[in-house]
Every structure is written in structure tokens, then in C-alpha cells.
């Protein structure tokens, strides 16, 4: 492994912790000897819509399209809500057959001329994580490149943790407004005007789904079996005329946007 390319960006990244240059210097370090065509940086929350932090050689128009609708199909966003897993996350680990045909890969990435991406997911306070994404337009990331990022992950994590500590508790990484009464630690609230056809029990279950709880956890919280949760979910989907959890998220966030 060649280390010569990373010493200068590493020194700059260390010096930049606690300053406005931190994210840019971290990008420089992460991508120092990993070939990539563009970079996007997004914050994910388990309870709020994503925040787009910055990008390099990406389209401002596609940023707006992502924030307006495509984020609900983003497998990285779905994974964070579901598993809260940090670390190196290649797209190919999340891209099942449904995702490959779905609107994120077949729609958003295709329009963005991106064929592969890998995310470096770092804890960013509360229920947020910071995703720094290296993107390619013509070739997939090699396993050896993913392994190289995983080996260096502790350095990326330590630098970002130092930045958070240096900034203090009042620091906000973006100036994007949050939803009315929303907080990263709160679970999303279903408006009374949304989904009136659902029973109180079904709304309770949907509330847990929107908060990112897996089926087994929902069953435990409600004191029912996993099979009963699945039956409830099937009836909810029938009532709402949808077939996937992504469509449920889309209806919820579209309702928030329209208000």
C-alpha cells in the first residue's frame, strides 16, 4: 500500500479540525489515492430529512431533485434509519435487485451519470451521521480500494470526532431549517390529516416504521408477534394502495412538504 500520497492531506486534516475547512480537508484525505470523479456530502438523520452539505463536480440541479424527492429512495438513508451503522459502506452492499431497478439507482444516479459510489459514514451528533461519498462515472470501486478505506477508517473517525468536540454543543453543520417542532432526537409525528383510513393501532405501528424500527423491535414494543406485525403492515399497505416501505416514506414526506 502506497502511503506517500496521504501524508500531506493528513497533516492538513489534523490542522483543520474545529474550523470551516474540516470537511473539505477530510474529503481530500479520504480521496487522496482513491480514484473518483465527484464527491457528495450528506447528513442523515433517523427522524428528519437529509441535509446536503456540499459537493464537488456535481450538479446543483440534481442536489435539488435529491432533496425534493429522490432521498426517500436513497438506500444509504434507508440503511441509516434502519441500522444506524457507521463505517465504510459501498453501494453494492445495499443494492439488491429492487434497488437496482428503483428510482435511486435507475433514476437519480443514472441522471447524475454515476455508476458506483462508496460512503464513509461518520457519527455527527444526536441521531445524525455524516456521509462522505466518493462517486465514479465509468468504473466500479475495487474490493482492494474498499479494504484500503476500511483500514484507514479509524483515522477518519478520530478526526471527525475531534472536530465535533472542538466545535462544541451549539455548533450546527448546516443552516438548513428543521421541520416545525422537530429535533434529531424526536420520532416523526404523523399529522392527524394524513392517513385517516388507518386505525389507531395501525397509526402506532406506522409511527414506529417511520422512526426506523425493524419488525422484531416493533413487535417487542407493541407486545405482539412478528407475524402479527407483518399482517398489520400488509393491511396498511393495502389501505394506502402501496407495496413498499419506501412508498410509505414518500407519502409521509410529500405530505410534510405540501403543508
Amino acid at each position: 500500500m502506497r502511503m506517500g500520497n496521504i501524508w500531506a492531506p493528513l497533516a492538513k486534516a489534523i490542522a483543520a479540525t474545529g474550523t470551516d475547512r474540516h470537511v473539505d480537508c477530510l474529503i481530500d484525505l479520504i480521496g487522496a489515492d482513491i480514484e473518483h470523479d465527484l464527491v457528495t456530502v450528506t447528513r442523515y438523520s433517523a427522524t428528519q430529512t437529509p441535509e446536503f452539505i456540499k459537493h464537488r463536480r456535481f450538479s446543483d440541479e440534481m442536489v435539488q431533485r435529491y432533496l425534493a424527492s429522490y432521498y426517500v429512495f436513497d438506500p444509504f438513508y434507508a440503511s441509516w434509519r434502519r441500522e444506524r451503522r457507521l463505517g465504510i459502506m459501498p453501494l453494492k452492499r445495499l443494492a439488491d435487485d429492487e434497488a437496482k431497478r428503483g428510482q435511486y439507482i435507475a433514476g437519480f444516479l443514472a441522471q447524475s451519470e454515476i455508476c458506483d459510489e462508496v460512503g464513509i459514514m461518520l457519527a455527527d451528533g444526536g441521531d445524525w451521521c455524516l456521509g462522505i461519498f466518493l462517486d465514479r462515472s465509468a468504473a466500479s470501486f475495487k474490493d482492494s480500494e474498499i479494504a484500503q478505506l476500511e483500514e484507514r477508517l479509524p483515522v477518519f473517525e478520530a478526526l471527525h470526532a475531534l472536530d465535533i468536540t472542538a466545535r462544541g454543543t451549539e455548533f450546527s453543520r448546516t443552516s438548513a431549517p428543521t421541520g416545525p417542532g422537530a429535533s434529531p432526537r424526536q420520532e416523526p409525528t404523523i399529522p392527524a390529516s394524513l392517513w385517516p383510513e388507518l386505525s389507531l393501532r395501525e397509526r402506532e405501528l406506522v409511527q414506529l416504521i417511520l422512526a426506523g424500527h425493524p419488525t422484531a423491535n416493533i413487535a417487542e414494543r407493541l407486545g405482539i408477534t412478528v407475524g402479527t406485525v407483518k399482517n398489520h403492515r400488509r393491511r396498511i399497505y393495502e389501505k394506502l394502495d402501496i407495496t413498499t416501505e419506501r412508498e410509505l416514506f414518500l407519502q409521509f414526506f410529500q405530505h410534510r412538504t405540501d403543508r
Side-chain angles (χ1 to χ4, degrees):
M1 181 183 300
R2 294 182 298 109
M3 295 292 290
N5 290 345
I6 73 164
W7 291 118
L10 175 58
K12 290 180 180 179
I14 293 171
T17 54
T19 76
D20 291 340
R21 305 190 315 276
H22 165 68
V23 173
D24 278 311
C25 289
L26 194 55
I27 292 171
D28 291 340
L29 175 61
I30 291 170
D33 53 4
I34 302 291
E35 183 180 346
H36 59 281
D37 297 305
L38 54 97
V39 178
T40 58
V41 184
T42 309
R43 290 184 82 222
Y44 294 116
S45 165
T47 56
Q48 297 187 55
T49 55
E51 297 177 347
F52 216 100
I53 302 300
K54 62 174 54 195
H55 63 83
R56 294 182 179 178
R57 299 184 296 278
F58 192 58
S59 162
D60 288 335
E61 179 183 356
M62 290 309 298
V63 169
Q64 295 306 314
R65 290 187 188 182
Y66 174 85
L67 294 174
S69 59
Y70 277 116
Y71 73 89
V72 295
F73 303 106
D74 182 349
F76 296 98
Y77 171 65
S79 176
W80 176 249
R81 289 179 61 90
R82 184 175 59 251
E83 300 176 7
R84 318 281 173 90
R85 188 162 62 87
L86 301 168
I88 307 302
M89 192 173 296
L91 176 62
K92 60 186 176 183
R93 292 182 187 171
L94 303 175
D96 56 18
D97 289 339
E98 179 185 356
K100 289 176 182 176
R101 296 190 299 268
Q103 294 203 39
Y104 183 76
I105 294 177
F108 178 71
L109 292 190
Q111 292 177 53
S112 304
E113 299 182 352
I114 294 172
C115 74
D116 195 18
E117 61 184 342
V118 56
I120 296 83
M121 316 297 283
L122 306 171
D124 204 40
D127 68 352
W128 292 87
C129 77
L130 183 76
I132 297 177
F133 295 93
L134 304 182
D135 300 285
R136 281 185 177 168
S137 300
S140 298
F141 289 95
K142 299 176 182 177
D143 290 342
S144 59
E145 293 171 317
I146 302 302
Q148 183 170 301
L149 288 171
E150 289 175 335
E151 183 173 345
R152 296 174 180 177
L153 176 64
V155 176
F156 308 150
E157 291 176 327
L159 287 170
H160 196 58
L162 282 174
D163 181 74
I164 292 173
T165 300
R167 301 281 195 166
T169 57
E170 300 301 317
F171 172 71
S172 176
R173 204 164 292 283
T174 74
S175 58
T178 57
S183 165
R185 297 184 182 277
Q186 291 178 335
E187 295 186 351
T189 300
I190 302 173
S193 57
L194 178 62
W195 301 322
E197 60 269 48
L198 299 183
S199 69
L200 290 177
R201 187 62 156 178
E202 288 169 341
R203 293 175 71 83
E204 185 179 11
L205 191 143
V206 169
Q207 182 89 28
L208 293 172
I209 293 174
L210 292 173
H213 295 285
T215 298
N217 187 256
I218 292 173
E220 181 179 355
R221 280 172 170 258
L222 299 182
I224 57 180
T225 67
V226 169
T228 301
V229 172
K230 292 179 178 179
N231 289 336
H232 277 308
R233 187 188 288 258
R234 184 177 62 254
R235 286 194 292 271
I236 289 167
Y237 286 5
E238 289 174 354
K239 287 184 177 182
L240 302 182
D241 193 25
I242 60 176
T243 57
T244 68
E245 186 174 290
R246 288 175 184 162
E247 292 175 279
L248 186 71
F249 289 139
L250 183 58
Q251 286 191 8
F252 174 73
F253 289 121
Q254 280 183 333
H255 183 84
R256 285 182 52 183
T257 301
D258 294 340
R259 293 176 68 191

